[in-house]
Amino acid sequence: MKNEIDIHRALRVFNKVATLGEKQSDNIQSVYRLCGLNALTDFDGYTISLSDAQVRLDIFFHKKYKFDYPNNEALENFLARFTDVEKYSQN
């Protein structure tokens, strides 16, 4: 699988997780969790991250991004969570 994603979709998923997700904070930063995805941002907001137990996607300024994952199956499962978040509605 080639490491290409729709960056706009990833940003919409990040926004939904950060908006509707459960806030989990440590002393340094806030992490939001929804549908198995974690969303966090660096101190200045220029880098955001989406992650699950095995995969991390860092999105940088100017729509650059980097994946970190152990295998293609983990990446596919991670990307499937995007659909779960997109379908999530707060009732």
Side-chain angles (χ1 to χ4, degrees), residues 17-63:
V17 173
T19 302
L20 300 177
E22 179 183 334
K23 185 176 182 180
Q24 301 175 339
S25 296
D26 59 20
N27 292 335
I28 299 170
Q29 64 187 164
S30 296
V31 178
Y32 297 88
R33 184 170 180 80
L34 182 68
C35 299
L37 286 178
N38 300 312
L40 62 111
T41 184
D42 66 353
F43 70 95
D44 62 6
Y46 284 110
T47 302
I48 63 171
S49 297
L50 285 167
S51 64
D52 66 7
Q54 296 185 5
V55 178
R56 181 177 174 115
L57 168 62
D58 295 315
I59 302 173
F60 308 103
F61 198 59
H62 295 299
K63 300 179 188 175

Side-chain angles (χ1 to χ4, degrees), residues 73-85:
E73 183 180 354
L75 179 60
E76 289 172 11
N77 290 334
F78 173 77
L79 294 175
R81 293 178 192 265
F82 279 29
T83 303
D84 296 340
V85 169

